[in-house]
Amino acid sequence: MSKLVKLVLALTTMATAFIFIFIGNVEAKSLTVSGLDKNNVIKAKPSSVSEGFDYYTIKGKANKNQTVYLLADEDGNDPKDYQVWDKVKADKKGNFSFETSSANNSKAVYYVSTDKKLKNKEDDDIFNVKKIKQKVKVILPANTQNKEEASESSEKSDEIDVSKFEDMNYTEYLRNPKQYEKKMVKFTGVVAQYDDANSRMLVAFNGDPDQLVYVGLAKSVNTDQRFLDGDNVTLYGSFRGVNPYSTNDGRDNYVPWVYVIKVDNQGQ
């Protein structure tokens, strides 16, 4: 091999390594969120108010056409209890945005991330957000309400305004889940299966075993008394889309999924 050929190969190898390092650095530094102060608190005022909650628009830039994830702990800010709350694809200029709400009585800590390992996370998978790379913390102020109301609601978690929840139409929500995502809903049913360890259950909508709803229970739900199969319950929560569960014969069956923050258990 001539010295010229060796020199060309060496230069090509160096250039490839340089490009790899450069792209790697761009990947790590490409994610930004605009409109945050030095403490990562969003500076803009709420973009809208709905059902008693302040909604904010989180905007930023990533690589073009890159998938961007919004991470949250729906029942607090525990780093070990985060989920994929939403995801969008950045446009051709790398712009992306999320519309999300504040929390009652305390700040809400979200993370925006482009970590590729999130691609394999199901919507209800719980993980430690500290293990997620390429992320930006975004803090939303506590939901605006007068101090007396905030104090009372923090002391009594049962005092949830049930008038803000709409009756869920099983077929309509199952057919058009995107249209109703994050909607505050209520429904009655019968507990078909309760997973005590993971605070999850399958509920027969209006007692119909052919219309099951997948339910995740918030930490605020009183589970001092266990739920039993056959319990008649009324549930209040946010509709999160559809979720698969495995039937006895190994098939995946897709049903509505509701994250429940209040349960009225009438027993059997």
Side-chain angles (χ1 to χ4, degrees):
M1 183 181 296
S2 69
K3 291 182 179 181
L4 179 60
V5 172
K6 289 182 179 179
L7 178 60
V8 171
L9 287 174
L11 290 173
T12 302
T13 302
M14 291 173 63
T16 302
F18 176 77
I19 291 171
F20 176 78
I21 293 170
F22 179 75
I23 292 175
N25 287 337
V26 169
E27 175 74 13
K29 296 180 180 179
S30 62
L31 179 65
T32 59
V33 176
S34 59
L36 304 180
D37 67 15
K38 63 180 181 180
N39 295 315
N40 286 73
V41 178
I42 196 164
K43 293 187 289 186
K45 294 182 179 179
S47 55
S48 63
V49 178
S50 177
E51 297 174 339
F53 288 91
D54 296 330
Y55 280 80
Y56 292 84
T57 301
I58 299 174
K59 297 180 180 181
K61 291 187 75 71
N63 291 337
K64 65 177 183 179
N65 301 322
Q66 189 173 28
T67 301
V68 186
Y69 301 87
L70 183 65
L71 314 178
D73 172 9
E74 193 161 11
D75 197 36
N77 300 314
D78 187 340
K80 300 187 296 297
D81 289 335
Y82 271 70
Q83 300 171 262
V84 174
W85 181 247
D86 199 359
K87 63 181 178 181
V88 297
K89 181 169 285 191
D91 64 20
K92 293 181 180 180
K93 294 183 178 181
N95 298 309
F96 67 86
S97 67
F98 294 100
E99 185 85 6
T100 193
S101 67
S102 56
N104 277 335
N105 311 327
S106 65
K107 63 185 179 182
V109 180
Y110 290 88
Y111 287 89
V112 176
S113 176
T114 54
D115 194 325
K116 291 182 179 179
K117 71 176 67 173
L118 293 168
K119 180 180 180 180
N120 299 320
K121 299 288 186 185
E122 298 291 341
D123 286 344
D124 63 337
D125 284 348
I126 304 296
F127 52 85
N128 191 331
V129 75
K130 291 182 178 180
K131 296 182 179 181
I132 301 300
K133 300 178 180 178
Q134 298 167 343
K135 62 181 183 287
V136 177
K137 179 189 286 188
V138 179
I139 300 174
L140 303 186
N143 189 51
T144 55
Q145 56 180 327
N146 68 57
K147 293 182 179 180
E148 184 177 350
E149 289 176 340
S151 176
E152 290 178 357
S153 62
S154 64
E155 291 175 4
K156 297 183 179 181
S157 60
D158 289 340
E159 293 182 3
I160 294 174
D161 186 357
V162 297
S163 66
K164 296 177 181 177
F165 297 79
E166 298 181 4
D167 290 326
M168 187 175 82
N169 182 307
Y170 187 93
T171 304
E172 177 65 17
Y173 277 59
L174 186 60
R175 189 185 305 277
N176 301 297
K178 288 290 184 183
Q179 181 178 339
Y180 298 101
E181 201 166 278
K182 310 291 173 37
K183 199 77 173 175
M184 305 301 285
V185 298
K186 64 178 179 180
F187 66 97
T188 59
V190 177
V191 177
Q193 183 179 327
Y194 176 51
D195 182 354
D196 192 4
N198 296 301
S199 297
R200 300 173 184 176
M201 64 171 71
L202 285 173
V203 176
F205 187 83
N206 287 334
D208 186 347
D210 293 327
Q211 292 190 329
L212 294 176
V213 180
Y214 180 89
V215 170
L217 298 174
K219 297 174 187 175
S220 57
V221 173
N222 185 358
T223 54
D224 291 342
Q225 288 186 325
R226 296 184 67 253
F227 295 99
L228 301 178
D229 293 356
D231 280 349
N232 293 281
V233 291
T234 301
L235 305 103
Y236 304 83
S238 63
F239 177 71
R240 296 294 302 276
V242 294
N243 196 74
Y245 77 93
S246 297
T247 60
N248 291 332
D249 57 4
R251 294 182 297 107
D252 281 342
N253 190 23
Y254 286 85
V255 297
W257 172 33
V258 178
Y259 188 84
V260 168
I261 60 174
K262 177 179 173 62
V263 180
D264 290 335
N265 188 358
Q266 293 87 43
Q268 300 180 8

